[in-house]
Amino acid sequence: MNGNNSKTTKPILRQQANWEGLYFYQKAVVLYQLTFTFTKRFLIRGDRTINQMVQAARSGKQNIVEGSADGVTSTEMELKLLNVARSSIKELKEDYEDYLTSRHLIRWDKNHNRYDGMLQFCRKHNKLEEYAGFFSKWTDEEMANIALTLCHMVDKMMTTYQKQLEQTFIEEGGIKERMTAARLGYRTNQRDEITRLKQELEAAHQRIAELEAKLKGQD
């Protein structure tokens, strides 16, 4: 039997996503570190909001990682964990909005003179090192608005990513469907191999018969 059996059999396990290369993960890392610094600088020690905000930011980041790992075997689980991540980011967004409101600070909208610059900065930069130098310099209003912008971007990017995963699930199914397809593919390859060998055997018998007839004619 030749080595072509795997040519029509698709892998059962999905290739794990390079989560470190996902922009929304990189921005989620920034959000976590920014939030950690923000709560240390601007919230009073013992405030329960500190732990809530830090844990929400951490949950957003960690569930992206866990979802990518679980996605190797279960697209369904990956989608669920990404939803958990999105929920955590939305919870964090609410905390930052509450902070601005309760302290009578300004939520920068498109009419604010710094809105466009902030938006361009957050669009262009994804890595922590591109933000970290500002963590000790930005005011609470600046940090909160940067965080809100990142929350919005992360959620939007994750929504697009989830739609792509859903389409992949529709086209390829989950692990059970891939296992069935792999098994059927293996059986199909076996049948094809048997057919090929039978054809070669039939051709060999025919050639033998021709050679034997030729030898008899020479006698």
Side-chain angles (χ1 to χ4, degrees), residues 173-200:
I175 189 169
K176 290 182 179 179
E177 290 84 357
R178 294 196 297 274
M179 288 176 68
T180 299
R183 185 61 182 167
L184 291 173
Y186 177 74
R187 290 178 178 176
T188 298
N189 286 334
Q190 285 185 318
R191 294 190 186 98
D192 290 345
E193 185 69 5
I194 290 171
T195 299
R196 184 186 66 81
L197 291 173
K198 284 181 177 180
Q199 291 173 345
E200 291 180 356

Side-chain angles (χ1 to χ4, degrees), residues 19-30 61 64-65:
W19 44 268
E20 290 181 318
L22 295 170
Y23 289 158
F24 61 81
Y25 171 75
Q26 294 172 5
K27 290 183 186 294
V29 170
V30 174
K61 175 176 70 72
I64 294 171
V65 177

Side-chain angles (χ1 to χ4, degrees), residues 24 27-28 31 89 150-158:
F24 61 81
K27 290 183 186 294
L31 260 176
I89 296 298
L150 290 173
C151 285
H152 174 74
M153 289 182 174
V154 169
D155 183 68
K156 187 174 181 180
M157 289 177 179
M158 290 181 68

Side-chain angles (χ1 to χ4, degrees), residues 164-176:
Q164 294 172 351
L165 286 178
E166 289 169 0
Q167 186 60 38
T168 298
F169 182 79
I170 292 172
E171 294 174 356
E172 300 180 4
I175 189 169
K176 290 182 179 179

